[in-house]
Amino acid sequence: MAYTPESKLTLGNSRNIETVELQSSSAITVIERVQVDVDDTTIKLPSKLSFGAGFGQVKKWLIGGEVTLTGNSVLSNRFIDIGEPIDTVNSTFENSVRYSLGGFLYLITTPIRVI
């Protein structure tokens, strides 16, 4: 069983826009450089709960499973300022559940001797 609590992350944002010219010698020349002021952003990282179990015989076989619940509904869209044609204002996130199943079967029980 594992649990990761919800947390907040503060991002220091910057945006630089450059107009460049590509020379025939593959050199790049910067013609104009603009630094755009952008506000810092705080985002929430979702909580996650995982639990699983497995059973089997040692070095012979095993089967196991895991269920992970993630609280994605706390996420928000960082790209609201993109605008049209992408509808970013009305985007939402939903909680999710992931199911995992796996195992192994060891078929060779007698060692093979190579002479």
Side-chain angles (χ1 to χ4, degrees):
M1 182 170 175
Y3 176 70
T4 305
E6 179 182 309
S7 57
K8 290 184 180 181
L9 182 64
T10 301
L11 307 173
N13 297 321
S14 64
R15 187 176 297 167
N16 299 308
I17 301 172
E18 293 182 347
T19 303
V20 297
E21 182 177 55
L22 182 60
Q23 306 293 328
S24 59
S25 63
S26 298
I28 297 175
T29 304
V30 178
I31 297 173
E32 182 183 7
R33 180 177 290 142
V34 178
Q35 185 172 355
V36 179
D37 291 332
V38 182
D39 293 335
D40 291 345
T41 307
T42 300
I43 61 171
K44 290 182 181 179
L45 300 177
S47 61
K48 182 164 47 170
L49 174 64
S50 299
F51 52 93
F55 65 94
Q57 290 182 331
V58 177
K59 295 185 180 179
K60 292 188 178 186
W61 63 274
L62 175 89
I63 188 166
E66 181 181 72
V67 177
T68 303
L69 307 166
T70 307
N72 293 326
S73 62
V74 301
L75 294 174
S76 61
N77 189 356
R78 290 183 49 225
F79 303 105
I80 289 178
D81 63 343
I82 291 176
E84 296 295 331
I86 303 171
D87 185 12
T88 59
V89 177
N90 296 321
S91 62
T92 59
F93 297 88
E94 298 178 356
N95 294 336
S96 63
V97 179
R98 181 180 72 183
Y99 302 98
S100 303
L101 181 65
F104 74 89
L105 176 61
Y106 189 65
L107 297 175
I108 301 175
T109 56
T110 314
I112 299 173
R113 296 179 189 235
V114 177
I115 300 176

